[in-house]
Amino acid sequence: MVDAGDGAFVFVGGRPSLDFVLTLGKRHANPVERIPDGDALARWLVLEGLVPTPLPVTDRELGRARELREAIGGLVRSTIAGAAPEAAAIRVVNAVAARPDLPPRLTVDAEGRAVATGGAGSPAQALSSIARDAARLLGGPLAARIKECEHPDCSLVFLDETQSGRRRWCSMDRCGNLVKIAGYRARRARSV
């Protein structure tokens, strides 16, 4: 998690498009909007590594971002459930992905190594980069590795990149640890 000022951004998805879906938390309960305004979206784009500095985001761009997020979110849920994707969601992702995306930028880190980072651009280009990532992920072989956290109070999605493909939690620091503690306490209570 990363402090977003008015909440927390969650970066456990493993891909920019999945992390973007996570900007609306607790989807199955009382949704938590993590990009309530353009400034929050601008911070998220920097923290995700898509752009080097915050970009000004208009209300219209924020609306488009949320529309893209929900389209990707719906497609992710369909993929996890093994259901047919909604045509409207595919149209949204394809329309945004068809726009020019962010050019990559090569920089040098503190240790003197070359590092690829996001390039300067516009919010529309950043959204195009996210949509293209979603199209590649959802239309490729890794789609079968997209999962939802098994904690009953969590709705976070992630790409399971473990060799065994048996990852169950969004992260061990978040839900995995909570489930293990609850299991320990339940076993201990039964033995007393």
Side-chain angles (χ1 to χ4, degrees):
M1 278 221 238
V2 175
D3 181 25
D6 53 359
F9 292 132
V10 181
F11 296 95
V12 298
R15 294 288 287 263
S17 56
L18 295 179
D19 286 339
F20 193 53
V21 170
L22 304 182
T23 62
L24 183 67
K26 300 189 183 273
R27 287 176 176 270
H28 62 294
N30 295 321
V32 175
E33 180 59 74
R34 294 187 174 113
I35 53 169
D37 55 37
D39 289 341
L41 177 57
R43 284 192 310 274
W44 184 88
L45 292 171
V46 170
L47 294 171
E48 180 64 39
L50 292 171
V51 295
T53 59
L55 304 170
V57 177
T58 66
D59 289 343
R60 186 174 179 176
E61 290 166 329
L62 178 62
R64 286 183 181 148
R66 289 179 179 160
E67 179 185 28
L68 175 62
R69 175 188 66 196
E70 294 313 301
I72 295 169
L75 293 169
V76 165
R77 301 270 176 225
S78 295
T79 298
I80 291 170
E86 288 188 27
I90 289 173
R91 280 193 298 275
V92 169
V93 171
N94 285 341
V96 177
R99 298 179 191 137
D101 67 347
L102 292 169
R105 197 173 109 189
L106 197 58
T107 61
V108 177
D109 69 9
E111 287 82 38
R113 295 180 303 226
V115 178
T117 62
S122 69
Q125 287 175 291
L127 293 178
S128 179
S129 293
I130 294 166
R132 288 175 185 212
D133 179 66
R136 288 183 191 104
L137 176 61
L138 295 167
L142 292 178
R145 292 261 185 156
I146 300 171
K147 297 182 179 178
E148 182 175 20
C149 182
E150 289 185 16
H151 190 287
D153 295 332
C154 185
S155 63
L156 299 182
V157 293
F158 59 89
L159 180 62
D160 180 357
E161 296 183 282
T162 63
Q163 186 173 359
S164 66
R166 295 176 56 200
R167 182 173 159 194
R168 299 173 56 196
W169 319 112
C170 59
S171 82
M172 281 307 295
D173 292 340
R174 282 177 65 96
C175 295
N177 195 39
L178 292 175
V179 170
K180 287 184 175 214
I181 290 170
Y184 169 77
R185 287 181 180 159
R187 286 189 303 278
R188 191 165 180 208
R190 284 191 302 264
S191 68
V192 174

